[in-house]
PDB file of all heavy atoms in Angstrom:
ATOM      1  N   HIS A   7     -40.419   8.975  24.795  1.00 98.00           N
ATOM      2  CA  HIS A   7     -40.946   9.666  23.667  1.00 98.00           C
ATOM      3  C   HIS A   7     -40.032  10.851  23.351  1.00 98.00           C
ATOM      4  O   HIS A   7     -39.934  11.731  24.038  1.00 98.00           O
ATOM      5  CB  HIS A   7     -42.358  10.231  23.871  1.00 98.00           C
ATOM      6  CG  HIS A   7     -43.100  10.717  22.827  1.00 98.00           C
ATOM      7  ND1 HIS A   7     -44.491  10.934  22.792  1.00 98.00           N
ATOM      8  CD2 HIS A   7     -42.660  11.072  21.459  1.00 98.00           C
ATOM      9  CE1 HIS A   7     -44.838  11.433  21.590  1.00 98.00           C
ATOM     10  NE2 HIS A   7     -43.773  11.513  20.808  1.00 98.00           N
ATOM     11  N   GLU A  11     -37.446  18.619  16.712  1.00 98.00           N
ATOM     12  CA  GLU A  11     -37.673  19.708  15.679  1.00 98.00           C
ATOM     13  C   GLU A  11     -36.485  19.866  14.818  1.00 98.00           C
ATOM     14  O   GLU A  11     -35.371  20.192  15.271  1.00 98.00           O
ATOM     15  CB  GLU A  11     -37.849  21.012  16.523  1.00 98.00           C
ATOM     16  CG  GLU A  11     -39.051  20.965  17.444  1.00 98.00           C
ATOM     17  CD  GLU A  11     -40.344  21.200  16.801  1.00 98.00           C
ATOM     18  OE1 GLU A  11     -40.557  22.293  16.312  1.00 98.00           O
ATOM     19  OE2 GLU A  11     -41.163  20.226  16.749  1.00 98.00           O
ATOM     20  N   HIS A  64     -44.097   3.874  18.001  1.00 96.00           N
ATOM     21  CA  HIS A  64     -44.093   4.329  16.688  1.00 96.00           C
ATOM     22  C   HIS A  64     -42.991   5.473  16.343  1.00 96.00           C
ATOM     23  O   HIS A  64     -42.354   5.908  17.238  1.00 96.00           O
ATOM     24  CB  HIS A  64     -45.407   5.044  16.258  1.00 96.00           C
ATOM     25  CG  HIS A  64     -45.760   6.324  16.916  1.00 96.00           C
ATOM     26  ND1 HIS A  64     -46.507   6.478  18.036  1.00 96.00           N
ATOM     27  CD2 HIS A  64     -45.329   7.639  16.577  1.00 96.00           C
ATOM     28  CE1 HIS A  64     -46.581   7.876  18.355  1.00 96.00           C
ATOM     29  NE2 HIS A  64     -45.842   8.556  17.502  1.00 96.00           N
ATOM     30  N   HIS A  68     -43.467  14.519   9.891  1.00 97.00           N
ATOM     31  CA  HIS A  68     -44.336  15.464   9.107  1.00 97.00           C
ATOM     32  C   HIS A  68     -43.430  16.536   8.528  1.00 97.00           C
ATOM     33  O   HIS A  68     -42.713  17.151   9.411  1.00 97.00           O
ATOM     34  CB  HIS A  68     -45.443  15.991   9.968  1.00 97.00           C
ATOM     35  CG  HIS A  68     -46.267  14.927  10.575  1.00 97.00           C
ATOM     36  ND1 HIS A  68     -47.152  14.198   9.841  1.00 97.00           N
ATOM     37  CD2 HIS A  68     -46.341  14.492  11.926  1.00 97.00           C
ATOM     38  CE1 HIS A  68     -47.794  13.333  10.684  1.00 97.00           C
ATOM     39  NE2 HIS A  68     -47.278  13.415  11.911  1.00 97.00           N
ATOM     40  N   TYR A  73     -40.425  25.277   4.531  1.00 96.00           N
ATOM     41  CA  TYR A  73     -39.684  25.868   5.636  1.00 96.00           C
ATOM     42  C   TYR A  73     -38.482  25.088   6.040  1.00 96.00           C
ATOM     43  O   TYR A  73     -37.831  25.365   6.992  1.00 96.00           O
ATOM     44  CB  TYR A  73     -40.688  25.896   6.934  1.00 96.00           C
ATOM     45  CG  TYR A  73     -41.802  26.769   6.706  1.00 96.00           C
ATOM     46  CD1 TYR A  73     -43.156  26.270   6.506  1.00 96.00           C
ATOM     47  CD2 TYR A  73     -41.711  28.143   6.694  1.00 96.00           C
ATOM     48  CE1 TYR A  73     -44.229  27.117   6.375  1.00 96.00           C
ATOM     49  CE2 TYR A  73     -42.777  29.043   6.541  1.00 96.00           C
ATOM     50  CZ  TYR A  73     -44.060  28.471   6.410  1.00 96.00           C
ATOM     51  OH  TYR A  73     -45.124  29.272   6.259  1.00 96.00           O
ATOM     52  N   ASP A  79     -41.209  12.229  15.591  1.00 98.00           N
ATOM     53  CA  ASP A  79     -41.318  11.589  16.936  1.00 98.00           C
ATOM     54  C   ASP A  79     -40.843  10.178  16.891  1.00 98.00           C
ATOM     55  O   ASP A  79     -41.129   9.420  15.921  1.00 98.00           O
ATOM     56  CB  ASP A  79     -42.909  11.590  17.275  1.00 98.00           C
ATOM     57  CG  ASP A  79     -43.454  12.941  17.639  1.00 98.00           C
ATOM     58  OD1 ASP A  79     -42.927  13.900  17.034  1.00 98.00           O
ATOM     59  OD2 ASP A  79     -44.351  13.043  18.544  1.00 98.00           O
ATOM     60  N   ARG A 112     -43.507   8.446  29.110  1.00 97.00           N
ATOM     61  CA  ARG A 112     -44.923   8.265  28.982  1.00 97.00           C
ATOM     62  C   ARG A 112     -45.346   7.013  29.937  1.00 97.00           C
ATOM     63  O   ARG A 112     -44.609   5.997  29.958  1.00 97.00           O
ATOM     64  CB  ARG A 112     -45.386   7.903  27.486  1.00 97.00           C
ATOM     65  CG  ARG A 112     -44.916   9.008  26.616  1.00 97.00           C
ATOM     66  CD  ARG A 112     -45.727  10.237  26.662  1.00 97.00           C
ATOM     67  NE  ARG A 112     -47.099  10.216  26.415  1.00 97.00           N
ATOM     68  CZ  ARG A 112     -47.682  10.397  25.221  1.00 97.00           C
ATOM     69  NH1 ARG A 112     -47.007  10.788  24.185  1.00 97.00           N
ATOM     70  NH2 ARG A 112     -48.985  10.404  25.052  1.00 97.00           N
ATOM     71  N   GLY A 113     -46.507   7.131  30.485  1.00 97.00           N
ATOM     72  CA  GLY A 113     -46.991   5.951  31.265  1.00 97.00           C
ATOM     73  C   GLY A 113     -46.130   5.709  32.533  1.00 97.00           C
ATOM     74  O   GLY A 113     -45.504   4.645  32.623  1.00 97.00           O
ATOM     75  N   ASP A 117     -44.364  -0.033  38.838  1.00 78.00           N
ATOM     76  CA  ASP A 117     -44.069  -1.463  38.573  1.00 78.00           C
ATOM     77  C   ASP A 117     -42.630  -1.529  38.167  1.00 78.00           C
ATOM     78  O   ASP A 117     -42.316  -1.156  37.087  1.00 78.00           O
ATOM     79  CB  ASP A 117     -44.978  -2.044  37.604  1.00 78.00           C
ATOM     80  CG  ASP A 117     -44.867  -3.561  37.436  1.00 78.00           C
ATOM     81  OD1 ASP A 117     -43.739  -4.033  37.907  1.00 78.00           O
ATOM     82  OD2 ASP A 117     -45.702  -4.115  36.827  1.00 78.00           O
TER      83      ASP A 117
ATOM     84  N   HIS B   7     -49.574  19.903  19.056  1.00 98.00           N
ATOM     85  CA  HIS B   7     -49.402  18.532  19.400  1.00 98.00           C
ATOM     86  C   HIS B   7     -49.914  18.261  20.855  1.00 98.00           C
ATOM     87  O   HIS B   7     -49.366  18.705  21.816  1.00 98.00           O
ATOM     88  CB  HIS B   7     -47.916  18.090  19.335  1.00 98.00           C
ATOM     89  CG  HIS B   7     -47.615  16.698  19.463  1.00 98.00           C
ATOM     90  ND1 HIS B   7     -46.474  16.113  19.126  1.00 98.00           N
ATOM     91  CD2 HIS B   7     -48.377  15.573  19.886  1.00 98.00           C
ATOM     92  CE1 HIS B   7     -46.473  14.821  19.283  1.00 98.00           C
ATOM     93  NE2 HIS B   7     -47.617  14.529  19.779  1.00 98.00           N
ATOM     94  N   GLU B  11     -52.060  11.461  28.631  1.00 98.00           N
ATOM     95  CA  GLU B  11     -51.863  10.277  29.413  1.00 98.00           C
ATOM     96  C   GLU B  11     -53.213   9.941  30.017  1.00 98.00           C
ATOM     97  O   GLU B  11     -53.753  10.607  30.872  1.00 98.00           O
ATOM     98  CB  GLU B  11     -50.946  10.711  30.648  1.00 98.00           C
ATOM     99  CG  GLU B  11     -49.511  11.132  30.097  1.00 98.00           C
ATOM    100  CD  GLU B  11     -48.576   9.977  29.802  1.00 98.00           C
ATOM    101  OE1 GLU B  11     -48.266   9.213  30.768  1.00 98.00           O
ATOM    102  OE2 GLU B  11     -48.356   9.742  28.563  1.00 98.00           O
ATOM    103  N   HIS B  64     -51.249  13.521  12.556  1.00 96.00           N
ATOM    104  CA  HIS B  64     -51.667  12.167  12.968  1.00 96.00           C
ATOM    105  C   HIS B  64     -52.266  12.049  14.328  1.00 96.00           C
ATOM    106  O   HIS B  64     -52.200  13.069  15.167  1.00 96.00           O
ATOM    107  CB  HIS B  64     -50.384  11.173  12.951  1.00 96.00           C
ATOM    108  CG  HIS B  64     -49.425  11.365  14.113  1.00 96.00           C
ATOM    109  ND1 HIS B  64     -48.287  12.072  13.941  1.00 96.00           N
ATOM    110  CD2 HIS B  64     -49.444  10.929  15.371  1.00 96.00           C
ATOM    111  CE1 HIS B  64     -47.634  12.054  15.133  1.00 96.00           C
ATOM    112  NE2 HIS B  64     -48.268  11.357  16.023  1.00 96.00           N
ATOM    113  N   HIS B  68     -51.354   4.073  22.000  1.00 97.00           N
ATOM    114  CA  HIS B  68     -50.698   2.838  22.466  1.00 97.00           C
ATOM    115  C   HIS B  68     -51.294   2.449  23.802  1.00 97.00           C
ATOM    116  O   HIS B  68     -51.308   3.334  24.681  1.00 97.00           O
ATOM    117  CB  HIS B  68     -49.143   3.110  22.558  1.00 97.00           C
ATOM    118  CG  HIS B  68     -48.592   3.548  21.273  1.00 97.00           C
ATOM    119  ND1 HIS B  68     -48.392   2.753  20.138  1.00 97.00           N
ATOM    120  CD2 HIS B  68     -48.135   4.791  20.913  1.00 97.00           C
ATOM    121  CE1 HIS B  68     -47.887   3.494  19.178  1.00 97.00           C
ATOM    122  NE2 HIS B  68     -47.726   4.694  19.535  1.00 97.00           N
ATOM    123  N   TYR B  73     -52.311  -2.134  32.765  1.00 96.00           N
ATOM    124  CA  TYR B  73     -52.135  -0.943  33.642  1.00 96.00           C
ATOM    125  C   TYR B  73     -53.411   0.019  33.416  1.00 96.00           C
ATOM    126  O   TYR B  73     -53.356   1.111  34.021  1.00 96.00           O
ATOM    127  CB  TYR B  73     -50.842  -0.248  33.296  1.00 96.00           C
ATOM    128  CG  TYR B  73     -49.576  -0.940  33.607  1.00 96.00           C
ATOM    129  CD1 TYR B  73     -48.851  -1.469  32.617  1.00 96.00           C
ATOM    130  CD2 TYR B  73     -49.228  -1.240  34.988  1.00 96.00           C
ATOM    131  CE1 TYR B  73     -47.626  -2.198  32.857  1.00 96.00           C
ATOM    132  CE2 TYR B  73     -48.070  -1.960  35.347  1.00 96.00           C
ATOM    133  CZ  TYR B  73     -47.315  -2.408  34.172  1.00 96.00           C
ATOM    134  OH  TYR B  73     -46.168  -3.154  34.449  1.00 96.00           O
ATOM    135  N   ASP B  79     -51.676  10.556  21.256  1.00 98.00           N
ATOM    136  CA  ASP B  79     -51.221  11.870  20.717  1.00 98.00           C
ATOM    137  C   ASP B  79     -52.187  12.353  19.638  1.00 98.00           C
ATOM    138  O   ASP B  79     -52.565  11.596  18.805  1.00 98.00           O
ATOM    139  CB  ASP B  79     -49.849  11.705  20.035  1.00 98.00           C
ATOM    140  CG  ASP B  79     -48.701  11.380  21.053  1.00 98.00           C
ATOM    141  OD1 ASP B  79     -48.962  10.850  22.063  1.00 98.00           O
ATOM    142  OD2 ASP B  79     -47.608  11.876  20.750  1.00 98.00           O
ATOM    143  N   ARG B 112     -45.418  22.756  17.594  1.00 97.00           N
ATOM    144  CA  ARG B 112     -44.329  22.208  16.765  1.00 97.00           C
ATOM    145  C   ARG B 112     -44.130  23.104  15.592  1.00 97.00           C
ATOM    146  O   ARG B 112     -45.042  23.565  14.975  1.00 97.00           O
ATOM    147  CB  ARG B 112     -44.743  20.780  16.263  1.00 97.00           C
ATOM    148  CG  ARG B 112     -45.198  19.849  17.329  1.00 97.00           C
ATOM    149  CD  ARG B 112     -44.037  19.371  18.191  1.00 97.00           C
ATOM    150  NE  ARG B 112     -42.919  18.616  17.480  1.00 97.00           N
ATOM    151  CZ  ARG B 112     -42.870  17.300  17.447  1.00 97.00           C
ATOM    152  NH1 ARG B 112     -43.761  16.513  17.981  1.00 97.00           N
ATOM    153  NH2 ARG B 112     -41.824  16.622  16.863  1.00 97.00           N
ATOM    154  N   GLY B 113     -42.875  23.307  15.182  1.00 97.00           N
ATOM    155  CA  GLY B 113     -42.526  24.067  13.966  1.00 97.00           C
ATOM    156  C   GLY B 113     -42.774  25.539  14.174  1.00 97.00           C
ATOM    157  O   GLY B 113     -43.602  26.130  13.457  1.00 97.00           O
ATOM    158  N   ASP B 117     -43.692  33.163  10.027  1.00 78.00           N
ATOM    159  CA  ASP B 117     -44.618  33.397   8.890  1.00 78.00           C
ATOM    160  C   ASP B 117     -46.028  33.616   9.356  1.00 78.00           C
ATOM    161  O   ASP B 117     -46.573  32.593   9.768  1.00 78.00           O
ATOM    162  CB  ASP B 117     -44.376  32.250   7.916  1.00 78.00           C
ATOM    163  CG  ASP B 117     -45.272  32.578   6.653  1.00 78.00           C
ATOM    164  OD1 ASP B 117     -46.068  33.369   6.572  1.00 78.00           O
ATOM    165  OD2 ASP B 117     -44.935  31.758   5.702  1.00 78.00           O
TER     166      ASP B 117
END
Side-chain angles (χ1 to χ4, degrees):
Chain A
H7 191 165
E11 299 281 290
H64 73 261
H68 303 289
Y73 295 107
D79 288 33
R112 305 289 298 264
D117 186 345
Chain B
H7 191 164
E11 298 280 292
H64 73 260
H68 303 288
Y73 295 107
D79 288 33
R112 306 289 297 265
D117 186 346

